[in-house]
Amino acid sequence: MSIKLQQLKHFVFVVEEGGFRAAANRANRSQAALSTSIKELEKILGQPLFETGNKSTLTPFGEICLPKIIQFLNVYKALDNDLRAAAAGQQGRVRIASVPSVAAKLIPSVLGAFCEQYPNVEVSLIDDNAAGVEARLLSGEVDVALGNSSSLDEDTIDFTPLISDPIGVVCLKDNPIASQPEGIEWQTLLQQPFIRNGTCTLLDPTPARTLSEQALYSVENITSLFSVLELGIGVTTLPKLAFPTNETRLTWIPLIDPPLKRQIGIFRLSDRTISPQAQAFHDLCVQYLKVNQ
């Protein structure tokens, strides 16, 4: 026969309460049922736990068993608490991948709320370009990812849209086209040296793809891109979220012909159940960003 958890608890109850009657009340069992539970435990162990003449006095064997059983029950209680906390998303780890603009401008506010609600959950945030974000999700390196929906495989990834991010033109503030803050048509940019970047694929379904095809320069890294733009050797297009709010020499102007937007959202693998912690972050993104967009 195997030792039952309930039998160990009843044994400790008798010791802590100083007798079978009080222990039975604590266990919400009849005294006879609790006595039977202790006798079955003694039968399994092959030794009496309490002295025959005094049911509240431990035998030498019982003295040996008591600290070991208490230690085991404490470990069990901690395990039970940890597993329940993990199931509720209160412990564990959530791994997130995001395109840099979303990681810098949107995720911090969500993370602030998430960390307040789940202070014991470890968070890992990786920023990467759109292709890298999708690759990390597909490989299982991250639980959820944030980015745009343009290149996602709909058969393997569930995408939840959150916000629309307009596309605009970035140039020096003293560039003549900067005098059109209400918006710029793409043909206006044909007279400007164009700098292609990773987000220029958003132009591909439109006539404005000509700008990218005829680009004199190509810069993938966003930091390097702004450094090149500040030299005044060309202009580019970028989503508004990708444009830094503290930029002083450059300006962002909406593209109005064609008016373009990228759809930013959170995505997860459709054939895999994510952890409770990751689900909590996913739900918080949907709740927070959709309300505050």
Side-chain angles (χ1 to χ4, degrees):
M1 295 175 63
S2 299
I3 297 174
K4 297 179 180 178
L5 181 65
Q6 189 178 54
Q7 294 169 338
L8 299 179
K9 290 182 177 180
H10 289 166
F11 167 65
V12 174
F13 287 174
V14 173
V15 175
E16 291 179 346
E17 298 297 328
F20 278 68
R21 179 178 299 177
N25 290 334
R26 179 175 171 183
N28 198 25
R29 301 289 298 276
S30 68
Q31 187 171 339
L34 186 126
S35 179
T36 298
S37 177
I38 297 295
K39 287 179 180 178
E40 289 177 350
L41 177 60
E42 291 176 327
K43 183 177 179 181
I44 294 170
L45 296 175
Q47 291 284 341
L49 295 167
F50 296 97
E51 295 288 356
T52 304
N54 188 341
K55 291 296 185 179
S56 62
T57 302
L58 290 171
T59 63
F61 175 68
E63 295 281 2
I64 294 173
C65 291
L66 180 61
K68 298 180 181 296
I69 291 175
I70 290 176
Q71 181 182 27
F72 168 78
L73 291 176
N74 287 337
V75 171
Y76 172 82
K77 183 178 180 180
L79 174 64
D80 182 65
N81 290 338
D82 287 349
L83 293 180
R84 292 178 187 275
Q90 294 292 341
Q91 289 184 4
R93 181 183 183 189
V94 57
R95 304 166 302 167
I96 309 157
S98 173
V99 293
S101 56
V102 177
K105 292 190 177 180
L106 297 184
I107 289 185
S109 56
V110 177
L111 272 183
F114 180 81
C115 293
E116 183 176 349
Q117 295 182 34
Y118 306 94
N120 296 319
V121 174
E122 179 184 350
V123 178
S124 174
L125 174 60
I126 304 169
D127 64 336
D128 206 336
N129 58 32
V133 163
E134 183 176 1
R136 291 177 189 274
L137 182 68
L138 291 173
S139 69
E141 183 181 347
V142 297
D143 305 302
V144 294
L146 289 102
N148 63 74
S149 60
S150 60
S151 62
L152 300 180
D153 184 348
E154 295 181 358
D155 294 331
T156 58
I157 294 176
D158 285 336
F159 178 78
T160 302
L162 297 175
I163 64 172
S164 293
D165 189 18
I167 308 302
V169 179
V170 179
C171 63
L172 285 174
K173 290 181 178 180
D174 60 5
N175 190 307
I177 65 173
S179 62
Q180 307 175 55
E182 69 284 352
I184 296 177
E185 299 179 356
W186 75 269
Q187 293 91 339
T188 305
L189 305 180
L190 290 173
Q191 307 304 317
Q192 300 275 338
F194 193 79
I195 304 171
R196 183 172 57 246
N197 65 77
T199 69
C200 289
T201 54
L202 297 166
L203 304 177
D204 290 348
T206 75
R209 65 180 178 275
T210 300
L211 298 172
S212 184
E213 293 170 349
Q214 297 180 0
L216 291 177
Y217 314 103
S218 179
V219 182
E220 293 294 325
N221 180 272
I222 194 71
T223 303
S224 300
L225 176 63
F226 288 123
S227 296
V228 172
L229 287 166
E230 288 181 349
L231 295 175
I233 62 175
V235 302
T236 194
T237 55
L238 276 177
K240 190 172 184 179
L241 280 175
F243 187 72
T245 55
N246 59 350
E247 181 56 56
T248 57
R249 296 189 60 196
L250 301 173
T251 187
W252 181 92
I253 307 165
L255 190 66
I256 57 174
D257 182 19
L260 289 179
K261 294 182 178 181
R262 65 171 179 173
Q263 188 68 57
I264 295 294
I266 186 167
F267 39 101
R268 49 183 284 185
L269 295 179
S270 57
D271 61 350
R272 186 176 305 171
T273 301
I274 60 177
S275 68
Q277 309 87 264
Q279 185 65 54
F281 180 82
H282 178 283
D283 295 345
L284 196 60
C285 280
V286 174
Q287 172 191 343
Y288 191 91
L289 296 180
K290 277 198 169 185
V291 170
N292 293 279
Q293 63 174 304

